[in-house]
Amino acid sequence: QVQLVESGGGLVLPGGSLRLSCAASGNILNINVLGWYRQAPGKERELVATITSGTSTNYGDSVKGRFTISRDNAKNTVYLEMNSLKPEDTAVYSCYAYARTWETNKLMPYWGQGTQVTVSS
């Protein structure tokens, strides 16, 4: 199993910034992809950003140019730097990992519990 623990959510003013972190733990053999998804009330979950072990990145259209994803492979941690935040960025942000463990030796998806981000004046 892989456990993902997010931190860094909270309340921020429009135009402000937040940095989310997600640390992965467990009997991890390797993590191919780390990423963030979000879900606002009444809406479907959507891609925010992903990053591969080779540091290739992919962003959702609504966050391009404002959010930056990065990872620290030594710490099995992924970060999301969010700038120029808008009220429509308000959502629960969940960490995602596509990882292989020593037990299964199979790539599987794992999800964190989520952290609330609220952008409001």
Side-chain angles (χ1 to χ4, degrees):
Q1 284 290 328
V2 175
Q3 293 79 42
L4 301 172
V5 179
E6 302 106 332
S7 61
L11 174 64
V12 63
L13 293 171
S17 299
L18 275 178
R19 187 187 194 217
L20 304 183
S21 300
C22 172
S25 62
N27 292 323
I28 299 169
L29 187 56
N30 68 281
I31 303 177
N32 278 25
V33 180
L34 283 166
W36 295 91
Y37 286 75
R38 68 186 184 186
Q39 187 166 22
K43 295 188 176 182
E44 293 191 355
R45 185 167 60 193
E46 66 171 346
L47 167 71
V48 178
T50 59
I51 183 168
T52 69
S53 56
T55 67
S56 293
T57 58
N58 183 39
Y59 293 92
D61 288 340
S62 61
V63 306
K64 285 180 181 176
R66 299 187 297 123
F67 291 11
T68 302
I69 190 170
S70 61
R71 66 188 281 174
D72 184 333
N73 290 328
K75 296 180 179 179
N76 285 334
T77 299
V78 62
Y79 306 97
L80 184 69
E81 190 74 36
M82 304 186 291
N83 297 313
S84 303
L85 282 161
K86 306 174 182 179
E88 50 263 45
D89 293 317
T90 296
V92 174
Y93 286 69
S94 296
C95 181
Y96 165 84
Y98 193 54
R100 193 189 309 268
T101 64
W102 289 99
E103 293 102 329
T104 65
N105 197 27
K106 291 170 59 177
L107 282 170
M108 295 177 62
Y110 298 91
W111 292 91
Q113 296 277 28
T115 185
Q116 177 70 45
V117 172
T118 302
V119 184
S120 175
S121 55

